[in-house]
């Protein structure tokens, strides 16, 4: 593990691949008898070394976490005791509540209650289920009626919102994917019109989902404007800040998140920009009673104790690991100030990246980064099909292995996309990423 | 951590409580600056030590896991590299697929595909969502219509089935909670009648859920009989074996699970009877196309690579930690044979417990254990309200701390319930559990 930690401190010349022996063992049948623990752990470490790890400073393709040793100690401690956070857990519940309060305090949310979930999908789904029960009281018992409820978000919202609509029985057709402005933020007037239209047609608005840090470009929807619209009509406003919400803690980005103190619920994945490994998603909800209405057990149930509330009464999952411990340790060991510096570093890296791309006529930024995500493409003279060229370039970069970047599509144009959330990424790494893209792009042009 | 491991080897005289200093720190605001890592880790360890840990051999209240050091190493390794199993992950996906195959092989399921989820709730929900899309094609897009679909299970099914119906928009009223026989197993004839009634009324049967190891008593529904009924009508049969399914690997209990090779889907929580910490739930599904229909992204999406399938196309979650690694290490280091011995140990402990209760006229078994769960109560002469007495006894046992047992209700009678899934639990521990119940019961009588 120590070797792994030190290897994360710098980019690697190549991605590792598995040898035939190990591949053969990974195709084998269930071992009847046990084997040498050292051999098994060595195989596991080699498999991990040949996997796509976001902990490496130049893995920019996915919004992954940083790989903080403190957090891994937290995961190992949590695994050792294996406390169940769904039921009465004594001291563990106190620590989990403090971590939830700290997270809310960090981003400026006056949290009433919340919980830790396995990821943005489950956090977003939980918020939408709470909103569904508030908009359609009793639907938990009697079911939903197709097309009777609608969700509202920009066309740039994460797929997990569509999936949540599918899962909740509302159907993907119930999601109104609204227009975006030139900065790729949801247009408040479009939301007003959609709400009016649906209300006139007898459709029940279940929730508006604002994205605070879209997956594609990191755009932050205008939360304060959406709060005003939603408060006027008593429509639930959920902020999907899985990736971007931690940036609300930095003075430079805080203004983008104005209004976050008045939303009904918000999602934040600590396993993205707060440096802890998956999974550690935080759901913050203002009104505990709505969560209770959506998830509470009205009948007496095995797990209940008369004298203590049960987390399973306001969370979707039953048995739950102690996901909060690693985030608690990070707050205790590193402090809020260090986290702010690390988040600012990501924003600064994106700005540096942008200035390097702007300075090179063979490249083009497709979007000015609002947070720490960059979308750019290689536009060398003489290349007719820039989409095909940039897809080839993305594959060449992944095969090269020094930098890990993914292809994406922005307004039907193929591009390269990178996201800076790893505090290990240095300005030199940023320069290397641009240099690798330039070098391989020229070879392919 | 070493101190924790060795403390798991024996019962403790008392449960730990937190001192006022630490309680004060757990009420404190977000630390702006970091602190000494050793202090933070020590506080974390003390919080965990004062929490309800299923790793202790006499924690019998919840179906928790055993606390295998091998598995904790797996969790720490997975956290270090933090690979995302939702997207292209290279070698990690190969290891995850092998672990899924091994799990299926272990219990005798001819697995076509499957995945690792955060727990029984998400595994059961995923299976029900797949069944929903098969029974109501297109409902994923256009939503469900209330009351148009039904789910079938015994009255002893886990609450997660009810919650899955609520989440999926079918509503809890759509769940037909069918009668049980004297062994607390679903009555196949009752299922036949319910299906006929619903079909006659135009209600669409979405899925039958058989429980293999109910939470209350560990009863295993008659899977083979249910397979016959479901195959005849092409109704999806899901087995919720979150707790009990690993017992299918032991020669002594395998006959209870006859038919498991022909079910549409099955849930198994490795973090219960396979000794790994939460969370590590396995969903096994016969027909990959149905999972794909329920969860596949038909539109082109950022995460996709043309040349590789994406786990997110057949699982509910997006970003996913590598939950399989710890189970893989347990299979490699300890082997299937050792796991079978450990599972058999739980079954034997329940039998020993039953014989001790049977031999003591002051106790009464309320159910003959089919697997490793015991439901019993203290029935001393002269106590008029046995329900109140046994609830008091449960609280006294939890306060005493030597054994952790929970109260439960079986046929409206309050009882004590324990579940043996921890391979660290010895026959001496079993005797101590009975002795503690006797000692405290006599004090209260």
């Amino acid at each position: 593990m120590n070797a792994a930690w030190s290897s994360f401190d710098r980019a690697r010349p190549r991605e590792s691949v598995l040898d035939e022996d190990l591949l053969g063992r990974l195709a084998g049948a269930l071992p009847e008898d046990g084997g040498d623990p050292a051999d098994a752990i060595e195989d596991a470490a080699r498999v991990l070394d040949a996997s796509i790890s976001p902990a490496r400073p130049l893995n920019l393709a996915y919004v992954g976490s940083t790989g903080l040793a403190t957090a891994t100690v937290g995961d190992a401690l949590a695994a050792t005791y294996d406390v169940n956070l769904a039921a009465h857990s004594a001291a563990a519940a106190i620590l989990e509540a403090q971590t939830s309060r700290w997270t809310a305090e960090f981003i400026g949310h006056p949290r009433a209650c919340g919980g830790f979930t396995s990821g943005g999908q489950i956090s977003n789904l939980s918020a939408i289920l709470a909103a569904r029960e508030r908009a359609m009281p009793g639907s938990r018992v009697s079911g939903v009626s197709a097309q009777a409820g609608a969700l509202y978000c920009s066309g740039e919202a994460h797929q997990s919102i569509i999936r949540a609509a599918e899962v909740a029985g509302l159907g993907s057709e119930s999601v109104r994917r609204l227009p975006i402005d030139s900065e790729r933020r949801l247009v408040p007037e479009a939301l007003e019109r959609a709400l009016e239209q649906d209300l006139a047609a007898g459709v029940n608005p279940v929730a508006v989902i604002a994205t605070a840090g879209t997956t594609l470009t990191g755009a932050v929807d205008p939360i304060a404007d959406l709060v005003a619209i939603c408060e006027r009509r008593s429509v639930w406003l959920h902020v999907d800040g899985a990736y971007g919400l931690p940036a609300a803690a930095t003075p430079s980005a805080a203004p983008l998140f104005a209004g976050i103190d008045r939303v009904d619920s918000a999602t934040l994945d600590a396993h993205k920009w707060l440096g802890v490994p998956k999974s550690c998603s935080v759901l913050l909800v203002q009104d505990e009673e709505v969560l209770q209405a959506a998830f509470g057990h009205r009948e007496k149930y095995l797990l209940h104790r008369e004298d203590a509330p049960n987390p399973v009464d306001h969370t979707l999952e039953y048995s739950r690991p102690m996901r909060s411990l690693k985030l608690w340790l990070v707050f205790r060991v590193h402090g809020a100030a260090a986290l702010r510096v690390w988040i600012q570093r990501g924003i600064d890296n994106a700005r540096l990246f942008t200035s390097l791309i702007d300075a090179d006529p063979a490249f083009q930024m497709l979007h000015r980064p609002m947070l720490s995500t960059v979308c750019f493409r290689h536009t060398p003279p003489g290349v007719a099909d820039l989409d095909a060229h940039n897809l080839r370039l993305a594959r060449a970069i992944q095969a090269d292995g020094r930098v890990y970047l993914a292809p994406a599509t922005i307004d039907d144009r193929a591009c390269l996309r990178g996201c800076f959330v790893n505090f290990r990424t240095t300005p030199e790494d940023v320069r290397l990423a641009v240099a690798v893209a330039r070098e391989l792009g020229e070879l392919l042009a």
Side-chain angles (χ1 to χ4, degrees), chain A:
Chain A
M1 250 183 278
N2 280 335
W5 288 117
S6 58
S7 89
F8 293 157
D9 289 340
R10 60 191 182 288
R12 300 196 286 190
R14 300 262 152 244
E15 286 294 328
S16 301
V17 288
L18 299 179
D19 60 65
E20 291 300 318
D21 273 1
L22 181 48
L23 272 173
R25 286 199 289 286
L26 291 173
L30 177 66
E32 180 61 18
D33 298 310
D36 181 3
D39 284 351
I41 290 169
E42 197 199 314
D43 277 0
R46 283 166 63 205
V47 166
L48 287 164
D49 193 57
S51 301
I52 309 297
S53 170
R56 300 191 187 285
L58 277 168
N59 185 319
L60 310 171
Y62 306 121
V63 189
S65 75
T66 297
L68 272 168
T70 316
T72 297
V73 170
D75 257 351
L77 274 171
T80 300
Y81 287 85
D82 198 28
V83 175
N84 184 3
L85 266 291
H88 171 69
S89 62
I94 303 173
L95 186 146
E96 178 133 325
Q98 181 176 47
T99 315
S100 179
R101 285 196 305 274
W102 283 355
T103 310
E105 202 179 327
F106 187 65
I107 59 144
H109 183 274
R111 172 192 170 277
C113 63
F116 286 80
T117 83
S118 71
Q121 174 68 70
I122 302 301
S123 290
N124 286 336
L125 175 61
S126 300
I128 285 167
L129 290 171
R132 189 188 73 178
E133 187 63 18
R134 199 183 70 161
M136 307 172 165
S139 59
R140 188 183 159 190
V141 173
S142 54
V144 303
S145 292
Q147 306 300 324
L151 296 169
Y152 307 82
C153 60
S154 91
E156 307 274 284
H158 189 257
Q159 284 289 333
S160 64
I161 303 300
I162 314 293
R163 183 168 279 184
E166 293 171 354
V167 169
L170 301 166
S172 53
E173 281 175 1
S174 72
V175 184
R176 316 288 185 239
R177 307 207 74 175
L178 302 170
I180 49 173
D181 63 17
S182 61
E183 294 189 90
R184 310 193 82 81
R185 303 157 21 125
L186 194 155
V187 176
E189 294 72 27
L191 173 64
E192 292 246 43
R193 280 194 300 277
L195 285 169
E196 276 161 26
Q197 234 167 5
D198 276 339
L199 286 166
V203 174
N204 202 341
V206 170
V208 172
I209 294 97
T211 308
T214 61
T215 307
L216 184 60
T217 69
V220 181
D221 287 337
I223 298 170
D225 296 347
L226 303 178
V227 164
I229 295 171
C230 290
E231 282 183 351
R232 208 153 54 233
R233 291 185 174 79
S234 294
V235 174
W236 187 282
L237 178 58
H238 173 66
V239 170
D240 176 6
Y243 147 49
L245 202 40
T250 63
S252 82
L256 293 172
F257 299 85
I260 189 70
D261 55 325
R262 283 160 66 203
V263 304
D264 292 288
S265 55
T267 294
L268 180 161
D269 286 353
H271 58 253
K272 293 192 166 95
W273 215 346
L274 291 181
V276 305
K278 283 176 286 297
S279 54
C280 185
S281 180
V282 190
L283 174 66
L284 302 169
V285 178
Q286 297 273 18
D287 183 351
E288 177 155 20
E289 278 179 31
V290 187
L291 270 189
Q292 194 74 25
F295 297 113
H297 291 86
R298 285 140 309 173
E299 63 265 61
K300 216 171 150 64
Y301 183 64
L302 195 69
L303 291 172
H304 270 259
R305 279 161 62 110
E306 298 77 1
D307 52 347
N310 246 323
V312 77
D313 285 324
H314 43 84
T315 55
L316 174 55
E317 290 177 297
Y318 280 77
S319 295
R320 275 198 311 146
M322 192 176 179
R323 300 189 173 101
S324 51
L325 187 67
K326 55 192 157 194
L327 182 57
W328 185 88
L329 274 177
V330 166
F331 278 132
R332 273 282 302 261
V333 171
H334 303 287
L339 284 166
R340 263 185 230 111
V341 167
W342 293 340
I343 295 164
Q344 188 62 49
R345 196 172 293 170
I347 295 172
D348 292 342
N349 279 337
R351 287 183 187 157
L352 170 61
F353 192 95
T354 302
S355 70
L356 294 171
I357 292 293
D358 281 345
D360 187 334
F363 283 111
Q364 181 194 2
M365 286 300 286
L366 294 191
H367 177 74
R368 299 280 108 189
M370 205 175 278
L371 297 178
S372 65
T373 302
V374 293
C375 288
F376 67 105
R377 61 181 191 166
H378 193 227
T379 54
V383 172
D385 189 344
L386 285 172
D387 289 341
H389 174 69
N390 278 278
L391 280 177
R392 268 198 309 271
L393 177 54
R395 263 183 235 111
I397 290 172
Q398 292 189 349
D400 177 84
R402 282 174 291 175
V403 183
Y404 199 80
L405 276 173
T409 304
I410 184 165
D411 294 333
D412 291 324
R413 288 178 297 175
C415 66
L416 298 167
R417 184 182 147 276
C419 185
F420 295 95
V421 289
N422 190 328
F423 70 80
R424 294 173 191 271
T425 310
T426 62
E428 289 65 45
D429 291 327
V430 175
R431 287 190 188 92
L432 177 65
V434 175
V436 167
R438 187 187 297 117
E439 171 196 326
L440 298 174
E442 281 168 9
L443 280 174
L444 289 171

